[in-house]
Amino acid sequence: MAASALPQDISDAELVGLARTAMKRAHCPYSKFPVGAALLTESGDIILGCNVENASYGGTICAERSAVVSAVSQGHTKFRAISVVTELSEPASPCGLCRQFLVEFGDFKVIIGTAFNSKTLITSTRELLPFAFTPESLDTFEQEKSSAVAEISATTKEHDVAEVSS
């Protein structure tokens, strides 16, 4: 999916502004690196997320995943766009885990911005993770597995018939 324009009800700049608001709520006492996200659902709802750090670093959740988890818990699984902002002077891409997490829900617009200027980078989830492992990968696996089982079964039957004939 090419990064397309957002619906007329919200602009890229407005979504970035909402991500900035979410960023102010970040709990980041360890890294001191706040991140905010604003996720636009297919139905037009906007779900905010921020990074929430934990003394057990593995328990930390990024802003992007925070927004998606909140959205899913509210019944949303289809998204139009997400904006992610940090306090860096240049837009900073989501981490690898967040890229994988986002693409799980399809190909949608990603607007990466900053807290202090109007610089943005506009892309999509598929462009962020070009060779993504997605739910479609699992569907392909199941199809290939079914075909392989059928082929093995047919080969086994042919072998059994050949043994009986000899």
Side-chain angles (χ1 to χ4, degrees):
M1 171 186 133
S4 59
L6 290 175
Q8 290 181 344
D9 52 336
I10 186 163
S11 69
D12 290 359
E14 289 171 315
L15 204 60
V16 167
L18 290 168
R20 287 178 181 143
T21 298
M23 185 187 71
K24 293 175 186 170
R25 300 176 185 158
H27 175 75
C28 52
Y30 308 106
S31 71
K32 311 280 192 269
F33 188 77
V35 182
L39 181 64
L40 178 63
T41 69
E42 189 174 78
S43 63
D45 292 326
I46 297 169
I47 311 295
L48 302 182
C50 62
N51 56 320
V52 179
E53 295 180 352
N54 191 285
S56 171
Y57 293 150
T60 294
I61 185 166
C62 299
E64 300 90 318
R65 289 183 289 135
S66 172
V68 171
V69 167
S70 183
V72 170
S73 72
Q74 294 175 45
H76 303 283
T77 57
K78 302 229 182 276
F79 308 114
R80 295 184 198 176
I82 188 168
S83 177
V84 181
V85 300
T86 70
E87 290 185 335
L88 293 173
S89 60
E90 295 293 324
S93 181
C95 73
L97 181 56
C98 285
R99 292 175 190 208
Q100 180 65 48
F101 205 84
L102 292 170
V103 81
E104 172 76 14
F105 295 93
D107 190 21
F108 53 92
K109 187 175 188 175
V110 179
I111 307 153
I112 306 167
T114 71
F116 302 119
N117 61 51
S118 61
K119 293 179 184 178
T120 57
L121 172 65
I122 299 174
T123 187
S124 72
T125 56
R126 295 275 182 182
E127 290 170 350
L128 281 174
L129 195 61
F131 299 102
F133 183 81
T134 65
E136 291 82 20
S137 303
L138 293 173
D139 292 341
T140 300
F141 170 72
E142 284 299 319
Q143 291 169 357
E144 289 174 359
K145 186 169 87 173
S146 294
S147 295
V149 167
E151 188 176 312
I152 290 169
S153 178
T155 303
T156 303
K157 285 180 185 175
E158 289 173 13
H159 183 267
D160 291 346
V161 169
E163 281 186 359
V164 170
S165 300
S166 355

